[in-house]
Every structure is written in structure tokens, then in C-alpha cells.
Amino acid sequence: MNLNTVILSGNLTSDPAPAGSSAEVATFSLSFLAPFGTDRAGGAKRRDFVSVVAFGKAAAACLFH
């Protein structure tokens, strides 16, 4: 089985919130600067937003930290 790992570092755009009636699922949004264009090393950047859903222990850590 192949798994991909992504590590994003940025700013929360909202506080993590429970999804549904349990603390087993948490949702939040993250914003970060990402390089774009042909000159990726040079400096052109844009603000990107990612919706995140955490499950289980990760959700509990997001909600009750």
C-alpha cells in the first residue's frame, strides 16, 4: 500500500469545530503561501486555502488543545 504524506504550515482561518454531534471529527480551514508560475524559486507566491477534516485522536487534539 502506498501512502502520501503532506505537511502544510500556515494560518488557521477559523477555529477547529466538531463536525456533527461527536468529537470524533473536526473541521477547519488553513491558509498558506504557495509558489506559482515558472519561477518557483524566485518569489511569485499566491495565498491558497485548504479545508481540513481530522478524525479520531487527531480530531480530539484539534478540538481540545
Side-chain angles (χ1 to χ4, degrees):
M1 171 191 271
N2 291 328
L3 296 175
N4 293 321
T5 300
V6 176
I7 299 173
L8 297 175
S9 177
N11 299 310
L12 287 175
T13 59
S14 62
D15 290 334
S21 61
S22 75
E24 294 293 318
V25 180
T27 61
F28 59 93
S29 180
L30 182 71
S31 71
F32 60 95
L33 289 175
F36 76 100
T38 57
D39 185 21
R40 289 185 177 263
K45 296 187 185 297
R46 67 173 182 222
R47 174 96 24 213
D48 280 346
F49 296 87
V50 175
S51 296
V52 179
V53 179
F55 299 93
K57 289 181 181 179
C62 291
L63 294 172
F64 303 114
H65 190 302

